[in-house]
Amino acid sequence: MPATTREEVRTAVDLPGAIILDVRTKEEVAAAPLTKKPYKHASCHLDDPSELLEKAEELMPDKNAPVIIFCRSGRRAGKAKELLEERGYTHVLNAGGLSDLESIL
C-alpha cells in the first residue's frame, strides 16, 4: 500500500468520527503532547504492541472510522497501522511523527 499523503491526513482529520491516535510512550506524550487536536493514546512498541492491541476496540470501536496514527518519527505508527488493518480497521492513515502531524493540522 502506498504511503499516506499529507493531503489524505488533512482531509481525514476533519471527517466525522475521525480519531487521532498517539502510539508513543507515556513519557514521550508527557514531554511533548499534541496540542492542536484531541487525541487518544495507546503505546505501540515495535517489539511489544500489546497495549495497542488490548485498547484498540475500546478506543476505536468503529472499525470504519478514520484513524490517524502518529508517533515520534512514523515508524511505530507504521507498525500500528499494519496491526489495526490486520484486525479489520478499514481507514487507517500513518501521519508520521508528531512534528509531521502538527505541520498538517
Side-chain angles (χ1 to χ4, degrees):
M1 172 165 260
T4 304
T5 67
R6 292 173 58 84
E7 190 55 42
E8 288 172 316
V9 172
R10 188 176 290 115
T11 299
V13 296
D14 292 325
L15 291 173
I19 296 168
I20 298 175
L21 179 65
D22 186 345
V23 295
R24 298 176 297 157
T25 64
K26 290 178 179 130
E27 295 78 16
E28 288 172 306
V29 174
L34 176 67
T35 58
K36 294 184 177 186
K37 290 259 189 189
Y39 64 92
K40 298 185 179 192
H41 175 260
S43 294
C44 180
H45 300 277
L46 292 174
D47 59 347
D48 180 14
S50 60
E51 182 177 332
L52 172 64
L53 297 176
E54 290 168 10
K55 291 183 172 182
E57 289 195 26
E58 174 189 334
L59 295 175
M60 302 159 296
D62 181 354
K63 291 188 175 188
N64 295 311
V67 179
I68 300 95
I69 306 173
F70 74 99
C71 59
R72 186 180 52 81
S73 67
R75 191 166 169 216
R76 287 172 286 176
K79 173 74 172 179
K81 179 181 186 303
E82 284 178 27
L83 291 168
L84 292 177
E85 288 174 337
E86 287 172 4
R87 280 153 185 79
Y89 289 85
T90 61
H91 192 179
V92 184
L93 299 98
N94 178 351
L98 174 63
S99 61
D100 298 320
L101 181 57
E102 286 187 325
S103 72
I104 293 169
L105 297 177

